[in-house]
Amino acid sequence: MNNILVTGGAGFIGSHVVRRLVKKYPEHNIVSYDKLTYAGNLENLADVKDAPNYHFVKGDICDGELLQQVFADRRITGVLHLAAESHVDRSIVNPMEFIRTNIVGTVTLLNAAKNAWKDDFAEKRFYHISTDEVYGSLGAAGFFTEDTRYDPHSPYSASKASSDHLVRAYHDTYGLPVVITNCSNNYGPNHFPEKLIPLAINNIKTGKPIPIYGKGENIRDWLYVEDHAAAIDLVFHKGKNGETYNIGGHNEWTNIALIRLLCSLMDKKLGRQEGQSAKQITFVTDRAGHDLRYAIDASKIQRELGWTPSVTFEQGLEKTVDWYLANQAWLEHVVSGEYEKYYEKQYGKLSAEN
Ligand code: NAD
Ligand code: TYD
């Protein structure tokens, strides 16, 4: 598997995967294929852009002709599929873009792989990267396992569930060698500031309100993005065809407890008095269909492939905050233009006094 196509390589997780593969496997060609939507950013890969084994193609996963050409020209032998519309709040406002990219785009990519490999699947692999949100919402107890019934609630999670089913269908119907992982919430450098943690870091720093949906009691299981990239590398090389692996950090936080921890860390980093940043916390109208709790049982990948997270949440959060404070230019570029319009529409004019 030495010519690897990474879709969504300019996004948050994709860029960490591309960087890891480019550096770790100099003998492999890594082709990042990305449409460069608002979430795609070539600055994420500025440090590897001149590496001889890194290649970038600007393209849409719904463009079957371009995919066919890339598979042929680059003699692609493996696919890591991360391209997606990924933000739940945007899926509530505009579900069609999620149906197009996450469902139609995934089938277009499956067809491109199947046709390019001409049904000779020896030494080939199609790896679909998915989310724990396909399993729905947990109550206070229990964990998502690989056998948990799918029960998605948002247009985002429903579109990802649909793509998972289609990937399995191509395995069961055509014998395409596929593997799927479902991961919990990631955080870390290069995370687009529409998601909770980077949005809060940016707002704390700039003195804006930190919007918390509902009462902040919803629970997420957070994993540092480089630990996810390490798991993806492992599953791609060692996972079994036809299998699903859950990936998670065993690291559950209510949103409000997480934001309080982040505020306290930011107080230290910004030289503020303890408790100052927490004054920016602002409770706002809850998200529609807001899933209460996600939590992953990651024992299968640990047992079968030997993967465990390498950083604690406190370490990962500190690395993340340090990265955002050191990469002011990155943040300024991504919060201009389209982001301002999105922010205004999503949050209206919140004031710190709310
Ligand atoms: P992201 O939104 O940061 O990046 C998505 C990337 O896909 C962007 O670079 C974007 O330009 C590209 N893209 C979007 N539509 C495209 C299209 N039609 N054609 C080609 N490229 C397109 O997302 P992320 O957070 O990095 O997530 C990557 C993958 O991991 C997604 O499939 C997501 O469902 C999954 N996932 C994410 C998380 C998380 O916490 N972020 C957790 C589990 C799984
Ligand atoms: P998010 O980062 O959007 O990830 P996901 O919805 O995929 O889990 O949200 C994480 C949690 O934070 C989720 O419970 C929704 C909540 N949230 C807020 O309270 N305020 C916000 O402004 C955002 C973006 C999210």
Side-chain angles (χ1 to χ4, degrees), residues 8-14 33-41 59-62 81-86 100-101 129-132 156 160 183-186 191 194-195 228:
F12 167 45
I13 303 170
Y33 183 97
D34 200 297
K35 186 182 172 184
L36 298 181
T37 66
Y38 77 92
N41 183 353
D60 189 327
I61 53 167
C62 297
H81 177 34
L82 294 103
E85 287 292 336
S86 68
R100 196 188 91 87
T101 285
I129 282 81
S130 192
T131 166
D132 61 355
Y156 165 64
K160 290 297 290 189
C183 188
S184 62
N185 287 62
N186 285 213
H191 205 182
E194 64 188 351
K195 307 280 168 61
H228 189 192

Side-chain angles (χ1 to χ4, degrees), residues 208-210 280-282 347-354:
K208 288 203 276 204
I210 311 161
Q280 293 168 234
I281 292 174
T282 307
Y347 298 102
K349 291 205 184 302
L350 281 179
S351 85
E353 284 72 50
N354 282 353

Side-chain angles (χ1 to χ4, degrees), residues 24 34 88 110 118 131 155 160 338 348:
K24 190 169 163 196
D34 200 297
V88 174
L110 284 163
K118 298 193 173 42
T131 166
K160 290 297 290 189
E338 198 272 350

Side-chain angles (χ1 to χ4, degrees), residues 263-317:
C263 284
S264 159
L265 180 61
M266 293 285 285
D267 281 342
K268 289 193 192 87
K269 295 283 174 188
L270 297 172
R272 294 181 180 172
Q273 222 178 10
E274 175 67 35
Q276 193 184 330
S277 300
K279 290 188 189 145
Q280 293 168 234
I281 292 174
T282 307
F283 293 95
V284 300
T285 310
D286 207 354
R287 172 186 281 173
H290 197 171
D291 287 336
L292 178 65
R293 175 173 168 251
Y294 303 145
I296 282 276
D297 174 348
S299 55
K300 178 177 175 183
I301 188 171
Q302 183 174 353
R303 192 176 56 246
E304 295 188 9
L305 304 180
W307 175 87
T308 48
S310 71
V311 296
T312 65
F313 193 47
E314 285 72 14
Q315 288 167 334
L317 206 56

Side-chain angles (χ1 to χ4, degrees), residues 19 42 66 75 126 158 204 213 252 303 354:
R19 175 179 303 99
L42 290 178
L66 180 59
R75 283 179 280 141
F126 187 106
I204 291 169
Y213 297 158
E252 293 181 52
R303 192 176 56 246
N354 282 353

